[in-house]
Amino acid sequence: MSAVLLPDGSGSLAEHVLSGPGAWTRPQAPISSRKAYAAAHVVPHALGDNTPGAPARLDWDATLGFRHDVWSYGLGVADAMDTAQRGMGLDWAATQELIRRSTAEAASVLSAGAPALAGRTVRDLIACGAGTDQLDPAGIAPGEAGLQAVEAAYREQLAVVEGAGAKVVLMASRALVRAARGAEDYLRVYTGLLDEVRHPVVLHWLGTMFDPALGGYWGSDDVGTATETFLELIRSRPEKVDGVKVSLLDAEHETRLRAALPDGVRLYTGDDFNYPELVHGDGTRHSDALLGIFAGIYPAASTALQAYDAGQPDRARAILESTEALGRHVFGAPTFYYKSGIAFLSWLNGHQPGYQMVGGLHSGRSVPHLVRVFELADGAGLLLDPELAARRMSAFLDVAGLGAPALVPAGSTGGAA
């Protein structure tokens, strides 16, 4: 067993013996009971600038290698979305390359003929965000000129995602918030885009806890009024909507919306707090998943979905619930910094050489917050190489000024440092 000295809240360090990984399994056949995408982060190049406002320079081997590991568990990848730091460090030039490279990798995985992906298409493996973040919202004024700029930006990004062959996730737009004068402008922009897409898309409704610049989306600050506009859009073009991803962290709202959707339109939960109950369902309907937290818990998430396939719903829900405390902590307020926790877990598990993020976002969480991420991930069996995780956590604490040894043998009497 491995151990590490962690701050105990009293100013001292106490020994924490790691629990070891959970009994996670890779599927031997396609997962069928739920459709799930893990929203993946990006890994910066270790020698990149990685400061606020600098162009993103990515470590492509690590970034794509992480996606391959997610696919090996039978899950899809949602790429170039908010988890990949859209609007928070990942610029449009790097985003385009990410979309093309990730989609090409998904095609290569299918060509390899893995049994867990039999019968799948590229769009099942990879969904990518199309938004308007090549625009500066500050330069967008309400009215016709602003709306035309938004429409042109969406079309540019749609061409990249569709051209690559990925499923489109039509992302919320900060620029549209500035340009729209009311619900009718949202309906105009989205209806026009849905009329033009080649394949059904996922509509993304991102709450202000994830992005404060999206207040009043769908033309109203009242969630009920906004929901009616959202449903009006979906009902007008149900054949163009594969599903909706709702990230409002409100399970009751999601359950009501799920029941109101037209037949054939999926609800991909984006609720990183309440996903266990929403994926499990209410006995009549369940949510599918497109979740940032799945990038941190994908071995457990896959194992849970395999249990649903095997007719073991109680076991499946228990697995998901075992990760819920981790999800609530990683996505705790201010929620838009959750990406820092996802990248920290990636680093602890050996998926990237250093704990860095584009745009300097690795500074978005405190040392105590990340210590708790480590503890909760260990408790959920999601530190897959305990010795590596302990060594890296000790190094992190040492750099943070806590003077922890590199690695403590389990059962030692290490105390205050």
Side-chain angles (χ1 to χ4, degrees), residues 72-161:
S72 77
Y73 279 90
L75 303 180
V77 169
D79 219 332
M81 296 188 62
D82 44 298
T83 306
Q85 297 180 241
R86 294 293 294 272
M88 293 185 74
L90 189 72
D91 56 275
W92 175 228
T95 298
Q96 294 178 70
E97 188 171 3
L98 175 66
I99 291 167
R100 293 178 177 125
R101 283 181 179 250
S102 292
T103 305
E105 291 298 310
S108 74
V109 168
L110 286 181
S111 297
L117 303 176
R120 296 289 193 253
T121 68
V122 169
R123 295 175 71 252
D124 291 324
L125 264 64
I126 186 85
C128 293
T132 66
D133 53 324
Q134 71 271 54
L135 298 177
D136 179 1
I140 301 295
E144 188 60 30
L147 291 171
Q148 289 183 10
V150 167
E151 290 168 337
Y154 266 129
R155 289 189 179 103
E156 179 187 1
Q157 296 205 10
L158 281 168
V160 172
V161 177

Side-chain angles (χ1 to χ4, degrees), residues 86-394:
R86 294 293 294 272
M88 293 185 74
L90 189 72
D91 56 275
W92 175 228
T95 298
Q96 294 178 70
E97 188 171 3
L98 175 66
I99 291 167
R100 293 178 177 125
R101 283 181 179 250
S102 292
T103 305
E105 291 298 310
S108 74
V109 168
L110 286 181
S111 297
L117 303 176
R120 296 289 193 253
T121 68
V122 169
R123 295 175 71 252
D124 291 324
L125 264 64
I126 186 85
C128 293
T132 66
D133 53 324
Q134 71 271 54
L135 298 177
D136 179 1
I140 301 295
E144 188 60 30
L147 291 171
Q148 289 183 10
V150 167
E151 290 168 337
Y154 266 129
R155 289 189 179 103
E156 179 187 1
Q157 296 205 10
L158 281 168
V160 172
V161 177
E162 290 194 319
K167 180 179 290 187
V168 170
V169 180
L170 208 55
M171 298 180 68
S173 164
R174 295 173 181 171
L176 183 53
V177 173
R178 297 286 296 252
R181 295 155 296 190
E184 65 281 355
D185 285 340
Y186 284 89
L187 291 173
R188 164 192 155 174
V189 169
Y190 275 90
T191 298
L193 297 173
L194 290 179
D195 284 342
E196 296 173 12
V197 295
R198 302 177 199 167
H199 302 283
V201 306
V202 177
L203 298 176
H204 190 188
W205 184 358
L206 196 65
T208 53
M209 66 289 293
F210 287 92
D211 188 343
L214 297 177
Y217 217 76
W218 305 112
S220 178
D221 287 313
D222 179 76
V223 172
T225 302
T227 300
E228 286 306 312
T229 301
F230 191 50
L231 284 168
E232 181 180 347
L233 170 68
I234 297 162
R235 290 165 178 160
S236 74
R237 303 290 191 282
E239 74 284 357
K240 290 298 188 78
V241 182
D242 170 80
V244 300
K245 169 177 161 54
V246 183
S247 301
L248 300 182
L249 304 183
D250 184 339
E252 291 184 4
H253 174 267
E254 179 169 320
T255 300
R256 292 192 300 270
L257 175 60
R258 188 172 65 195
L261 290 173
D263 290 344
V265 176
R266 297 176 181 271
L267 200 151
Y268 294 96
T269 187
D271 189 332
D272 301 277
F273 281 6
N274 303 299
Y275 58 92
E277 68 173 275
L278 293 165
V279 171
H280 187 79
D282 57 13
T284 302
R285 298 176 179 86
H286 65 262
S287 295
D288 294 291
L290 199 163
L291 287 162
I293 191 58
F294 270 24
I297 69 164
Y298 61 91
S302 172
T303 304
L305 298 187
Q306 293 171 59
Y308 280 119
D309 283 358
Q312 302 169 345
D314 292 342
R315 175 172 176 261
R317 181 165 184 170
I319 292 172
L320 292 176
E321 287 178 343
S322 73
T323 70
E324 186 173 9
L326 175 62
R328 286 179 175 268
H329 180 71
V330 168
F331 284 78
T335 299
F336 47 84
Y337 286 126
Y338 77 86
K339 297 95 170 169
S340 305
I342 297 297
F344 193 65
L345 285 170
S346 170
W347 175 62
L348 291 174
N349 277 316
H351 293 299
Q352 57 193 73
Y355 177 49
Q356 293 189 60
M357 300 175 70
V358 296
L361 203 67
H362 47 285
S363 65
R365 293 294 201 188
S366 68
V367 171
H369 177 93
L370 295 174
V371 168
R372 189 62 179 150
V373 169
F374 177 90
E375 292 172 334
L376 291 170
D378 178 50
L382 288 163
L383 297 179
L384 305 183
D385 182 339
E387 182 177 350
L388 174 66
R391 187 167 62 248
R392 289 191 164 187
M393 191 68 202
S394 292

